[in-house]
Amino acid sequence: MAKNRIVIVEDEDAIARMIAMNLKVANYDTQVYFDGAEAASALETDHAYDLALLDVMVPGMDGFALLEIMKLYQIPVIFLTAKDDLASKIQGLTGGAEDYIVKPFEVLELLVRIEKVLERSNKVSHVLKILNMEINFEEHTVRQNGQEVALKPMEFELLAVLAKNKNIAISRENLLKMVWGIDYLGETRTVDVHIGQLRKKLGLGGQIKTISKVGYRLE
Amino acid sequence: MKIRTKIVLISSIAVLTAAFLVNAMVLWMTSKSWSNEAYAQAYQNSFVVMSEAEEGLNLSGSEVDKARLEYYFKTYRLENNQRDFYTVCIQEDTEGEGRMHYEEIYNHTIFSPQKLMSQTYTDCEDKMGIMYCSFEYGGGKYLIFRKSFAQGVEIFRIEDVTYVQQQAEQLAVSMGLSTLGIMAVMVLFLYLILKRLLKPLQELNETAGQMAEGVYDRRVEIHTPDEIGQLGESFNRMAEAVEMRTHSLEESEKRKTLFMGNLTHELKTPMTAISGYAQMLLSMKLTPEDQEEALHYIYEECNRLERLSKKMMKLLELDQDTELTCIDISAERLFEAAGKACQVILKEKQITLECIQQGEHFQVDPDLMTDVLINLIDNGVKASEPGSKIILRAGENYIEVQDFGRGIPQEEQEKILEPFYMIDKSRSRKSGGAGLGLALTAMIVKRHNVSLRIESKEGEGSRMILQFV
């Protein structure tokens, strides 16, 4: 399946590169522009993007003006900005942006929000192929080498989160929140038990890595 | 109570009191002269009667002719149409030892001889020996004239002078009424005049009220050069001062908010980058090249934060009113220090620094002034193409830094001295700026009471001139 393409407009070199690097690891294609006007003119020829990450204060053309252009090409927009005053948020969201993330942000948060926006705009496929597995989110099934593996619901959800964020270590606390929900009062030990089940059932002993002091990562 | 009402009330009371006193005096004097006149008239009439009686009756004899007396008064005088109020009587000491008996001859009054005799009489001091007294009876006022003749004949003539008092009363009433009338007109007039006079006060009050609600651009109109006009002028001056002060406070508040906003932005950006790269290094499987790049960015952003905090500290230090340590220093030494500090950046871009001075001396804080020059040179270097030059020039009362770079657009010239202002953000960032250098320069220059003038033409370069007083 084709990778989702994301356009980034951010004038801070360090941050633009950081986002790009993250998205690359999370299996997205990225294009970075440091200047709003430059991005706008480039979009005229190539606008096959699934998502745009826009800084509000960029030279050339500001984020709010770029948002209008993105709407023309039906590209969903997430604002990424240091401006955390309510007026800007309201202007961004009522203007048609899908989300508004204030700097400084956590990378995992950015990835989750990107995923949610892509899901809302139906730009993710229901099937994710990773390693020798084929995860079908609609059917809630996992096939390994074409052979269906029976997983419990929570084991499936855990695998889905790890697969969607492959190569990214996620802490046990975050896994609890993302799989079992914020209200779940279980211990982080639950995560370890389910990870153990996944490793055993799918033979992923080497691929699901334990990163000390951080959490688990599917490679 | 309104001031208008007060003034009207007070002046009415004053005028009324004065009018009352004057009226009373006039009334007293008039009634006195009237009663004198009435007395004189009455005396005149009595004198005539008494003389006629004396002549006509010849009472100087030894025996009284009662019939003749009666005839004279009852018939003769009446026939001659001389009706008057008389009482004529004969006084006899019938029983001796002062016990008097009065025989009434003629009485055209309501008073008995005894009653008339019992009054106390005053001598009119004339040759005839007429006496008089004033007498009040039943609300009327009368004058009684009396003359004693020989053989105990007494003639009383009574004159009614009640009209004098009535006249005085009428006068009092008409005077009172006219006073009240005049007062009413005066009060009305005063009220209207005061309304007109005090109108500016009303306007002043309204304007002050509006100012209290935050409308500071209101002024009152000055109609007259009197105290109210002066008050208006003073008020306008005060309003001017309040408006200016409020405006400058608002401005400084706005600047502060902007400064804080910019500062948070400047802090957030490197922090986002640092924490982002650190998270990546911690949680992701990165290629060695990416790892190196991440570390490089973390290092760079940390440097940026350090530079920012140093400059911020300096700005804060300068903001507090610490004394500057100004000494007499030559331009040569200042230029030397600045040149040395800028050596690296000059070399990087291969820009030559030219110092022109003829031994000028300046009274400045050497460290701070060197900072100013460094900032200005740094700015010039950022604007210049590689291989060009920058001139440091000292003259009488001025130091200037000239570059031949791209120049500063007219509309940006004022803003570049504001904290965090960058004409071209991405380009400035790449050359390591945070937008604080010129703000710092402006602050130092201000503390030295030196003015910073910018002369710049796009495409030709800029001259930053420090004008000493």
Side-chain angles (χ1 to χ4, degrees), chain A residues 11-15 17-18 21-22 24-25 57 82 84 102-107 167-169 217 219, chain B residues 265 268-269 272-273 275-277 279-280 282-286 290 293-294 297 301 304 425-426 429:
Chain A
D11 64 327
E12 286 288 338
D13 183 35
I15 292 185
R17 287 284 304 128
M18 179 194 83
M21 217 186 268
N22 263 301
K24 192 181 83 189
V25 172
M57 288 186 292
D84 67 344
V102 177
K103 291 176 193 169
F105 51 83
E106 291 214 19
V107 171
N167 283 335
I168 298 170
R217 176 166 74 195
E219 289 183 350
Chain B
H265 183 258
K268 264 183 190 173
T269 312
T272 307
S275 94
Y277 283 114
Q279 276 178 53
M280 280 169 67
L282 268 178
S283 61
M284 289 184 188
K285 196 181 153 193
L286 297 173
D290 280 352
E293 197 181 327
Y297 274 120
E301 294 300 303
R304 193 166 131 194
K425 216 165 73 168
S426 50
R429 285 277 163 61

Side-chain angles (χ1 to χ4, degrees), chain B residues 116-393:
Chain B
L116 290 170
M117 280 302 287
S118 68
Q119 302 298 319
T120 318
Y121 290 88
T122 316
D123 206 325
C124 291
E125 289 169 9
D126 62 348
K127 284 173 200 152
M128 288 268 300
I130 299 173
M131 294 185 289
Y132 82 98
C133 83
S134 62
F135 182 72
E136 275 176 41
Y137 179 82
K141 201 175 174 195
Y142 306 92
L143 280 173
I144 307 170
F145 290 88
R146 171 188 168 197
K147 181 161 168 56
S148 308
F149 293 92
Q151 278 88 40
V153 176
E154 299 275 350
I155 298 177
F156 300 93
R157 185 175 176 276
I158 295 175
E159 184 99 18
D160 186 352
V161 287
T162 314
Y163 72 92
V164 174
Q165 208 175 339
Q166 281 169 349
Q167 262 182 348
E169 274 166 15
Q170 270 172 17
L171 182 67
V173 168
S174 60
M175 274 172 88
L177 281 177
S178 56
T179 306
L180 282 179
I182 291 168
M183 276 292 294
V185 172
M186 192 205 74
V187 163
L188 190 74
F189 200 59
L190 194 66
Y191 197 77
L192 290 176
I193 282 186
L194 279 175
K195 191 170 175 179
R196 216 182 134 80
L197 267 178
L198 296 177
K199 208 177 158 211
L201 270 185
Q202 185 67 31
E203 283 172 20
L204 198 63
N205 185 24
E206 278 165 18
T207 313
Q210 280 170 336
M211 275 190 68
E213 278 160 24
V215 189
Y216 295 115
D217 58 345
R218 287 309 183 87
R219 297 291 178 272
V220 290
E221 236 175 275
I222 312 287
H223 303 284
T224 47
D226 58 7
E227 286 90 336
I228 292 178
Q230 285 164 12
L231 177 63
E233 262 169 47
S234 305
F235 178 84
N236 281 351
R237 272 207 305 280
M238 186 194 78
E240 193 78 31
V242 167
E243 189 184 359
M244 261 174 60
R245 187 98 188 97
T246 319
H247 187 70
S248 80
L249 275 177
E250 272 169 6
E251 278 289 291
S252 107
E253 199 52 41
K254 222 183 270 171
R255 267 207 307 278
K256 250 179 218 161
T257 316
L258 194 70
F259 181 86
M260 285 312 293
N262 283 331
L263 178 63
T264 14
H265 183 258
E266 287 308 304
L267 284 174
K268 264 183 190 173
T269 312
M271 271 163 53
T272 307
I274 291 169
S275 94
Y277 283 114
Q279 276 178 53
M280 280 169 67
L281 285 172
L282 268 178
S283 61
M284 289 184 188
K285 196 181 153 193
L286 297 173
T287 60
E289 295 88 57
D290 280 352
Q291 277 179 8
E292 204 172 299
E293 197 181 327
L295 283 170
H296 169 76
Y297 274 120
I298 288 176
Y299 178 67
E300 211 164 67
E301 294 300 303
C302 281
N303 277 345
R304 193 166 131 194
L305 274 180
E306 198 188 333
R307 279 199 302 275
L308 183 71
S309 68
K310 265 189 195 158
K311 285 201 171 149
M312 283 300 304
M313 288 305 291
K314 216 159 211 175
L315 264 179
L316 283 175
E317 249 170 55
L318 280 171
D319 218 7
Q320 291 158 357
D321 287 327
T322 43
E323 276 298 306
L324 299 180
T325 46
C326 288
I327 57 163
D328 194 62
I329 190 167
S330 67
E332 192 182 1
R333 293 218 3 233
L334 279 175
F335 288 178
E336 210 178 78
K340 213 178 244 171
C342 294
Q343 231 169 13
V344 181
I345 52 166
L346 286 167
K347 214 172 189 178
E348 260 177 18
K349 262 187 150 179
Q350 291 166 338
I351 291 169
T352 47
L353 184 68
E354 207 176 305
C355 299
I356 304 171
Q357 47 88 25
Q358 270 113 30
E360 286 88 353
H361 280 250
F362 295 95
Q363 195 72 31
V364 293
D365 184 317
D367 290 340
L368 292 179
M369 198 41 73
T370 308
D371 273 353
V372 167
L373 292 180
I374 293 169
N375 275 327
L376 293 179
I377 293 170
D378 187 49
N379 226 57
V381 168
K382 280 174 196 160
S384 298
E385 294 300 314
S388 74
K389 69 175 177 181
I390 287 174
I391 302 175
L392 267 177
R393 190 184 290 118

Side-chain angles (χ1 to χ4, degrees), chain A residues 77-80 93 97-101 113 117 120:
Chain A
V77 168
I78 296 179
F79 275 123
L80 262 185
L93 292 174
E98 288 290 330
D99 213 337
Y100 196 101
I101 303 175
R113 286 182 192 250
V117 171
R120 270 209 293 280

Side-chain angles (χ1 to χ4, degrees), chain B residues 71-85:
Chain B
Y71 171 75
Y72 180 77
F73 283 107
K74 280 187 179 162
T75 315
Y76 174 75
R77 283 192 72 90
L78 288 180
E79 278 170 5
N80 284 297
N81 235 355
Q82 290 178 325
R83 290 158 190 277
D84 241 338
F85 300 104

